[in-house]
Amino acid sequence: MTAHQNGTISTGASEFLLNCFVRSPTWQLWLSLPLSLLFLVAMGANGVLLITIWLEASLHQPMYYLLIFLSLLDIVLCLTVIPKVLAIFWFDLRSISFDACFLQMFIMNFFYAMESCIIMVMAYDPYVAFCLPLRYPSIITEQFVAKAAIFILARNVISALPIPILSSRLHYCGRNVIENCICANMSVSKLSCDDVTINRLYQFAGGWTLLGSDLVLIFISYSLILQTVMGLKAEGAMAKALSTCGSHFILILFFSTVLLVFVLTHVVTKKVSPDVPVLLNVLHHVILVALNPIVYGMRIQEIKEGIQRLLKKGW
């Protein structure tokens, strides 16, 4: 071990070890089977969605480009987390370099925030369709999607970049074993001998500010849609609104519920096994990725018809 000028002690290690469900080793075997299946479903479903939108000329419309963005994001997020978890389960490959750990930390925080932001922007589409139908072609354009993509990237790079930077600047002076399957910010930071108050505050305040504002805007959008539809006398207007917004609402409900459960398990750590928040964190990175293309593919008629046409061509 070596001493730093500020008096902290460094292990000199060049890597972390991910301590994944070591308290419940049988979990590794039983989890690896559904986890690998969910991973295949997530990759396959997103792949089918991307190919369908790419090949079907009728789907070359502005809001479907956001679906492409969402699918690509989900694929990268899933590939960043799940293969490493499965490698730990199957081959006990628990080591991860400092650089790879902080890169994974950035991708998880960056892409997770981007997913929330994309879902928020996508909620704007049905709002315009129901509340401003005559202006829809002039508002939801390719330029709108391009500007939205730039905003999504810029906002979340600026908000997510400080998280791995703050963690990487800490001195790790005792243990290098992360009690998690992934390089979550606080799981890594608490190994440091430095004060991590800033890390905790930034993670909490930044996360709730961004995700909270996205959820508020989404529910305002749906409230305005509901208010507009209830004022219409057209037959089937309510059913059409529910059908259009149903897929979106399912994903938002799952997204916010998992986040709430994850936070609550951290708050009541003395009453909940430490493995529970770890499990929720891992599953969140694959279940939502698998759900997104399936829900949108089944609920949006144009995509469903596009998939059916491609399948017929394939046969």
Side-chain angles (χ1 to χ4, degrees), residues 1-2 4 9-15 98 172-176:
M1 294 190 292
T2 59
H4 287 280
I9 305 297
S10 172
T11 59
S14 60
E15 62 184 18
F98 280 15
Y172 296 92
C173 54
R175 298 171 298 144
N176 68 334

Side-chain angles (χ1 to χ4, degrees), residues 221-279:
S221 173
Y222 284 146
S223 297
L224 292 172
I225 291 171
L226 186 61
Q227 184 180 3
T228 300
V229 171
M230 290 178 68
L232 296 175
K233 296 181 179 179
E235 186 178 350
M238 180 63 75
K240 183 179 179 181
L242 292 175
S243 176
T244 303
C245 302
S247 57
H248 217 153
F249 187 75
I250 291 169
L251 294 175
I252 293 163
L253 187 64
F254 180 81
F255 187 88
S256 55
T257 301
V258 170
L259 180 64
L260 181 62
V261 172
F262 180 66
V263 170
L264 288 176
T265 53
H266 269 291
V267 172
V268 291
T269 49
K270 293 182 180 179
K271 296 182 180 180
V272 178
S273 168
D275 286 332
V276 172
V278 173
L279 175 62

Side-chain angles (χ1 to χ4, degrees), residues 90-110:
W90 292 338
F91 310 111
D92 198 33
L93 299 176
R94 299 189 298 135
S95 63
I96 182 169
S97 70
F98 280 15
D99 290 341
C101 187
F102 295 124
L103 177 61
Q104 187 190 66
M105 186 186 298
F106 170 72
I107 291 174
M108 289 189 298
N109 284 279
F110 175 45

Side-chain angles (χ1 to χ4, degrees), residues 167-234:
S167 290
S168 64
R169 291 174 65 86
L170 296 171
H171 295 126
Y172 296 92
C173 54
R175 298 171 298 144
N176 68 334
V177 179
I178 301 170
E179 298 296 336
N180 207 327
C181 299
I182 57 180
C183 289
N185 177 32
M186 295 318 303
S187 296
V188 176
S189 298
K190 70 181 183 181
L191 299 180
S192 169
C193 51
D194 292 342
D195 184 6
V196 295
T197 303
I198 294 177
N199 297 60
R200 290 180 182 276
L201 288 175
Y202 187 85
Q203 180 84 53
F204 182 81
W208 280 108
T209 299
L210 294 177
L211 301 181
S213 61
D214 288 346
L215 288 173
V216 167
L217 290 172
I218 288 168
F219 283 110
I220 288 174
S221 173
Y222 284 146
S223 297
L224 292 172
I225 291 171
L226 186 61
Q227 184 180 3
T228 300
V229 171
M230 290 178 68
L232 296 175
K233 296 181 179 179

